[in-house]
């Protein structure tokens, strides 16, 4: 921790109260590293405001002294966006104390929440009002709405409900000047000029600090059908996706792809993981359909689609969950797939998207290319097949140290991303650029697009104090 000039220290404490300014090493340590422990930073202080007015005062003070501000939510981001640089010249601004759910309006199908509200708490508040807030992801017990907005988070229900960008109606933002923009509108339609909220969604804290949001709610599903399916390859899995969408009245919520190795690692490392099928298969799918009307016939629709798929050779085996406990076991396995890889050793992660129709081609070509480049590498591509979003992870070969693999693996990342771009894809589907991918976008975005991004940044944040060194 860098010593804070006494005058600034007094100013921050006056604004936030003594418990709003953290400076000692033990208290600040969790804020200075990321979830994966890939990055370690330093900061002048960690500041914990209680409302937008306090955020505004801090930002004005930082602007005056040209101090960089790193906004931080639940700190579950996977690209180092919420970790300050090692220089120790920035402050971390934690939104954790701004966690109120201000209102749930069941009639308007909206919730107004502060940026620090934990995603799971927002889901629970919506459910208590007989509504659904559909964003759902592995870190939902810790990540915050402000972080979800700033990374334009995706997760396991994007196929049906869209990503965070599609779930936000209004925002309140503290701008880099310290001004508060109140755009907390609860409107479905508003064509009064530029849609400014879109600038801040997915901006990873580089254009301003999100302090509150109006979120879209939906009718709460009352029926659900979940299946675990063995499929020979992703091409046939995509045929099944189309069949399931049609059969269910487009009520497929999740369509997740898992390779055999991912299941093996989950079974090996994560207690409570159960292999749902006896037939070993190169690929599996976790499929979930939901409906908001009772007796919607989802189970029958799923059964019929799977029966036809068995006959047509799209799948080799399937099981439909018979109880809530069985459904939970399937989702436990899906989450254990992430944990299993972590416990197995080092992996190089890619969060890519390609057009849904080209996922199968991408996987076939990319896996072949990886094996050619490093024959012992263990690809574990898994994720949101229905969105064309694959977590194309490469697990360290047996018998090589994690460090040696990560060192050699840099070249593999360029191969993966070049292939993604050749198919019209994206090198970051849902995690953002942060520090991890910032250097790479120069290779993949056109000069025109980069210049546009930089001119937006310069217009909103001319002093460059918002999350320096991230995104652009
Ligand atoms: C186990 C696990 C599973 C995950 N699964 C998914 C998944 O399925 N889909 C997915 O999309 N992501 C996933 N993630 C990534 C992560 O959870 C999301 O990116 C999440 O949206 C980050 O929220 P956060 O509050 O933790 O943000 P942080 O990590 O704190 O911050 C992320 C970025 O947003 C900025 N930021 C945070 N709050 C604000 C604010 N109020 N105003 C302005 N900028 C802000 C930060 O500066 C940083 O750049 C997963 C992560 C883990 C650990």
């Amino acid at each position: 921790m860098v010593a804070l000039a006494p005058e600034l220290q007094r100013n921050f404490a006056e604004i936030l109260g003594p418990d709003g300014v953290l400076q000692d090493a033990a208290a600040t340590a969790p804020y200075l590293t990321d979830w994966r422990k890939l990055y370690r930073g330093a900061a002048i202080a960690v500041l914990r405001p209680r409302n937008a007015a306090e955020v505004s005062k801090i930002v004005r003070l930082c602007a005056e002294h040209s101090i960089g501000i790193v906004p931080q939510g639940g700190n579950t981001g996977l690209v180092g966006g919420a970790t300050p640089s090692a220089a120790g010249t920035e402050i971390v601004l934690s939104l954790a104390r701004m966690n109120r759910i201000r209102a749930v309006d069941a009639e308007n199908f909206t919730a107004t929440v502060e940026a620090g509200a934990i995603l799971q708490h927002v889901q629970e508040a919506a459910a208590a009002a007989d509504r659904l807030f559909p964003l759902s992801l592995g870190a939902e017990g810790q990540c915050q709405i402000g972080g979800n907005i700033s990374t334009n988070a995706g997760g396991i229900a994007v196929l049906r409900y869209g990503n965070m960008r599609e779930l936000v109606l209004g925002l309140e933002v503290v701008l880099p000047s310290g001004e508060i923009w109140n755009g907390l509108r609860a409107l479905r339609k508003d064509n009064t000029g530029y849609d400014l909220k879109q600038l801040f969604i997915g901006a990873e804290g580089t254009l301003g600090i999100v302090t509150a949001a109006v979120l879209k709610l939906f009718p709460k599903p009352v029926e659900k059908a979940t299946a675990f399916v063995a499929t020979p390859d992703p091409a046939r899995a995509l045929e099944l996706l189309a069949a399931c969408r049609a059969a269910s009245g487009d009520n497929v919520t999740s369509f997740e792809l898992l390779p055999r190795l991912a299941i093996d690692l989950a079974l090996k490392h994560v207690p409570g993981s159960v292999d749902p099928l006896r037939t070993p298969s190169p690929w599996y799918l976790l499929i979930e359909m939901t409906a908001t009307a009772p007796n919607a016939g989802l189970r029958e629709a799923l059964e019929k689609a799977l029966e036809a798929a068995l006959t047509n050779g799209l799948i080799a085996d399937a099981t439909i969950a018979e109880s809530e406990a069985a459904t939970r076991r399937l989702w436990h396995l899906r989450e254990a797939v992430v944990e299993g890889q972590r416990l197995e050793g080092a992996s190089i992660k890619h969060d890519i998207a390609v057009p849904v129709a080209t996922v199968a081609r991408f996987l076939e070509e990319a896996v072949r290319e990886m094996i050619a480049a490093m024959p012992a590498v263990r690809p574990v591509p898994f994720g949101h097949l229905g969105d064309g979003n694959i977590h194309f992870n490469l697990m360290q070969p047996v018998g090589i140290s994690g460090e040696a693999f990560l060192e050699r693996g840099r070249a593999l990342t360029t191969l993966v991303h070049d292939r993604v771009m050749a198919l019209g894809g994206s090198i970051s589907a849902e995690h953002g650029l942060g520090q991890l991918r910032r250097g790479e976008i120069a290779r993949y975005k056109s000069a025109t697009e980069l210049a546009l991004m930089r001119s937006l940044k310069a217009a909103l944040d001319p002093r460059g104090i918002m999350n320096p060194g991230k995104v652009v």
Side-chain angles (χ1 to χ4, degrees):
M1 189 71 27
V2 174
L4 183 53
E7 189 201 337
L8 262 180
Q9 189 168 7
R10 240 191 341 271
N11 289 337
F12 284 139
E14 269 166 25
I15 296 168
L16 300 173
D19 57 347
V21 184
L22 305 181
Q23 278 200 277
D24 78 82
T28 55
Y31 299 87
L32 302 179
T33 185
D34 66 313
W35 175 278
R36 289 168 66 195
K37 310 273 183 285
L38 283 182
Y39 299 98
R40 253 167 234 290
I44 299 173
V46 175
L47 304 182
R48 293 161 33 92
R50 286 161 296 201
N51 52 53
E54 290 184 356
V55 175
S56 161
K57 286 181 191 162
I58 294 168
V59 174
R60 279 185 205 280
L61 203 56
C62 288
E64 202 178 304
H65 294 272
S66 291
I67 295 172
I69 302 169
V70 183
Q72 191 173 101
N75 203 14
T76 68
L78 298 175
V79 291
T83 310
S85 75
T89 52
E90 297 153 7
I91 59 134
V92 172
L93 190 142
S94 163
L95 281 295
R97 293 210 291 180
M98 294 175 56
N99 59 1
R100 283 183 314 142
I101 294 172
R102 289 188 194 156
V104 175
D105 185 339
E107 202 179 354
N108 201 41
F109 284 81
T110 51
T112 306
V113 309
E114 293 181 351
I118 304 278
L119 171 56
Q120 190 178 331
H121 298 167
V122 176
Q123 295 166 345
E124 287 164 0
D130 199 31
R131 295 290 178 261
L132 171 77
F133 182 63
L135 188 78
S136 180
L137 48 96
E140 64 197 20
Q142 187 176 334
C143 64
Q144 299 174 4
I145 289 299
N148 301 146
I149 290 169
S150 302
T151 58
N152 185 25
I156 55 170
V158 172
L159 184 57
R160 173 88 166 74
Y161 295 101
N163 49 22
M164 194 60 178
R165 190 179 295 286
E166 286 155 274
L167 303 175
V168 175
L169 290 178
L171 284 186
E172 179 188 74
V173 179
V174 174
L175 303 172
S177 60
E179 272 171 289
I180 301 174
W181 172 54
N182 184 343
L184 283 178
R185 297 175 198 127
L187 302 173
R188 308 275 153 171
K189 290 190 162 186
D190 176 15
N191 280 355
T192 53
Y194 306 135
D195 189 357
L196 295 177
K197 66 176 180 294
Q198 300 297 350
L199 285 179
F200 302 98
I201 303 173
E204 300 180 60
T206 60
L207 298 179
I209 298 163
V210 175
T211 47
V214 181
L215 305 174
K216 261 190 215 173
L217 303 181
F218 294 81
K220 194 157 89 175
V222 293
E223 201 172 302
K224 182 160 68 180
T226 313
F228 194 82
V229 173
T231 182
D233 57 53
R236 275 175 269 202
L238 282 172
E239 282 187 52
L240 180 62
L241 170 62
C244 286
R245 288 185 69 171
S248 64
D250 211 5
N251 278 319
V252 180
T253 316
S254 304
F255 201 85
E256 301 284 304
L257 180 73
L258 304 162
R260 181 67 222 179
L261 180 55
I263 305 292
D264 286 339
L265 296 179
L267 296 173
K268 177 175 167 191
H269 293 292
V270 186
S273 305
V274 181
D275 197 345
L277 296 172
R278 271 195 226 114
T279 334
S281 168
W283 297 96
Y284 299 89
L285 297 165
L286 178 53
I287 305 170
E288 191 157 277
M289 300 171 172
T290 57
T292 55
N295 308 317
L298 282 185
R299 193 198 150 101
E300 295 73 21
L302 184 56
E303 243 171 38
K304 259 187 154 165
L306 295 180
E307 268 167 30
L310 262 175
T311 313
N312 301 338
L314 299 186
I315 65 173
D317 197 0
T319 177
I320 297 181
E322 297 293 345
S323 63
E324 189 52 39
T327 302
R328 270 202 301 275
R329 273 198 297 280
L330 293 181
W331 279 108
H332 172 80
L333 182 62
R334 167 66 181 84
E335 274 152 36
V337 154
V338 179
E339 189 60 4
Q341 291 172 64
R342 192 178 68 80
L343 294 170
E344 176 73 3
S347 64
I348 299 169
K349 298 185 196 301
H350 308 96
D351 166 40
I352 65 95
V354 290
V356 176
T358 60
V359 176
R361 179 175 155 205
F362 165 75
L363 285 171
E364 202 190 312
E365 292 176 356
V367 167
R368 203 184 315 129
E369 191 174 19
M370 293 304 106
I371 304 289
M374 193 187 280
V377 76
R378 293 179 291 165
V380 195
F382 73 100
H384 319 297
L385 180 62
D387 311 323
N389 173 198
I390 299 295
H391 300 307
F392 192 83
N393 291 356
L394 302 170
M395 178 59 63
Q396 73 179 80
V398 178
I400 299 185
S401 79
E403 292 78 47
F405 170 59
L406 294 179
E407 187 58 38
R408 280 189 57 199
R410 283 200 199 114
L412 297 180
T413 289
T414 307
L415 294 178
V416 172
H417 287 165
D418 283 356
R419 187 162 290 283
V420 164
M421 295 311 289
L423 289 170
S426 165
I427 66 162
S428 182
E430 57 176 13
H431 294 160
L433 297 173
Q435 308 185 41
L436 182 66
R437 300 278 174 239
R438 180 188 175 225
E440 278 175 79
I441 55 158
R443 181 178 172 91
Y444 298 117
K445 284 201 187 280
S446 69
T448 307
E449 196 166 340
L450 281 172
L452 207 49
M453 281 171 67
R454 289 190 184 119
S455 59
L456 272 174
K457 169 78 176 167
L460 270 88
D461 181 19
R463 291 189 189 84
I465 60 167
M466 285 308 311
N467 216 357
K470 317 287 166 52
V471 183
V472 281

